[in-house]
Amino acid sequence: MKWRFLHICVSLLAPLLLCANDTVFVSGAIQHDGLLDWKPVMYHSNSYLDFGVNWVKTPDSEQDSEPGKTTSFRSLRAKTRFELNQWPLPGYEEDFKGYGLSHLSLAAAFTWGEITVGDVYGQFGSGLTLNLYEDRALGIDGALRGAKIEVSPYRGIRLTALGGKQRRYWNCYKDKAWGWNYKQDAALGADIELNIDEWIPAMQNNGMTWCVGGSWVSKYEAEDTVLTIIEDQWYRYRFPRWVGAGEVRTQLRCKGLDLLVEYARKANDPSVENNFDYRDGQALYISAGYSRKGLALLAQVKYSDNMSFRSSHSAYYLAGRLNHMPAFAQQHTYALASLYPYATQYTDGEWAFQAEVRYTAPRKTQFGGKYGTTLKLSAAHIRGVASGGTWRIDTGTEGEYYTDVNIELNKRITKRWWLNAMLMYQTYNRQVIEGHEGLMRSGIGVIDTRVQINNNVSMRGELQYLFSPHYGGQWIFALYELSLYQHWTLSGQWMYNIGYAAEATNKHYYTAGLTFNYGAHCANIGYTKTREGFNCSGGVCRYIPQMEGIVANYSFTF
């Protein structure tokens, strides 16, 4: 049954090979991430094979050469993905395990839009009501198995509609091999965007753009029985069959100014994640930015309360999430700066504030020097909501979820020497984010330098230090990278928990590896011993246990 889809795709695409003036090509990617674990000895791996056949119609082909004759058809593509995750890397959920054809899709593009049948992704606005995406590092795959259509019926108007059954690892394929059983649950959505500037010549002449949009997303679940006991009496929860969420937004851009305002509201959606709370959810997102040569400013505010939106009320952790609430905290790449990352609080809600100023001093000035200097100051502060269903900020000590204030200097010292330095202050509420008691405050310093010895050899080194009197105590981190002939990179890093705190371990953690890059190929092999912690992206985090062993990674795109 599974192979019928591929047979249909091949049957449709094969005759197109006869169109000599058109373009037919194959695309795809291979990815393998493996770990040979010492305790116990076992090889864990996540492997993916993406494969697609694409046919692109050439506009000046013979069938379109007649005067006045046009065609709306542009391209056709068939895609599939094979996954082998039967022995996944440590830290992934139990349901993540599995193997087989996880994705199948057939998409046709026209001058007026595109139609896709099969597994689809999508995002409405900033994703407050719908953001279906894939992040393999976290184990997230929110694809809908169904259909999606994008239409532009008139200049400045864009309509999108989609629907299907959401993938929750391999669970949605257990009852039906294709996952088409919508009697259990389904998700539907529609979005409209109006680009008003395309109708007003005066706005176009002054470099202004103005977009207004709105969307509606609804999920359906079959009747389910969940019981609870209150004062020695059993009660049954009454779940709504349909749960809807809508949002409206507007974005204005004019001469370096970018202003976005978005508001979303969700109907009552009792679930395991929100402890079966029947309150409605809502979110407000405001972002203002300004940029000109050498200067960039950004200020953002976000309010959310009970905005967890999943395709199933029994889903938890990373599975089944329909929307995405971005974390208003800088996504640090330095190891110690990201040692305690922030995870968005979907259910309890939060008030988040973020601001950033970036200034680049011109070359050959007193501050800029010979090659110029960039200075960046950013701050993020996240607090809880005082009471569910209200807009009041929790101003108490326990209401402080996360704070990050940092200043970063980037300077080119000489023609072949670059220097980056950062100082950071962080507050981290372990009770809220991890479920461990305590509020942690720390200071972090980073020195990052790179030297280009010649066209074939470069070196980069990092020194980082984290000081905190709480819990994990002090940390030291060092990294060295040697790049040779643009293809080889030898790297090593060391992290040490100095101690002087209640939960300090005084342990050393090492990583060393060799990476080879050539064209679309990238291969890495090395040894790693890492601490337990969290891998986060955009406010979504996955717990990773302590690991030790040999790592082997390979990726290829064609």
Side-chain angles (χ1 to χ4, degrees), residues 229-235:
I229 185 170
I230 302 176
E231 296 180 353
D232 298 327
Q233 294 291 325
W234 286 97
Y235 294 90

Side-chain angles (χ1 to χ4, degrees), residues 226-277:
V226 178
L227 302 177
T228 184
I229 185 170
I230 302 176
E231 296 180 353
D232 298 327
Q233 294 291 325
W234 286 97
Y235 294 90
R236 175 185 174 185
Y237 286 105
R238 294 177 62 92
F239 294 101
R241 295 286 186 92
W242 289 94
V243 177
E247 61 89 20
V248 291
R249 62 188 182 272
T250 181
Q251 184 170 21
L252 177 67
R253 292 190 178 101
C254 178
K255 298 180 179 180
L257 178 66
D258 188 344
L259 177 63
L260 170 66
V261 179
E262 188 168 353
Y263 175 77
R265 192 170 183 88
K266 177 181 66 71
N268 69 88
D269 183 21
S271 65
V272 172
E273 185 177 16
N274 67 7
N275 197 26
F276 301 104
D277 193 333

Side-chain angles (χ1 to χ4, degrees), residues 369-380:
K370 184 177 180 180
Y371 298 100
T373 302
T374 298
L375 185 67
K376 185 186 74 171
L377 174 64
S378 63

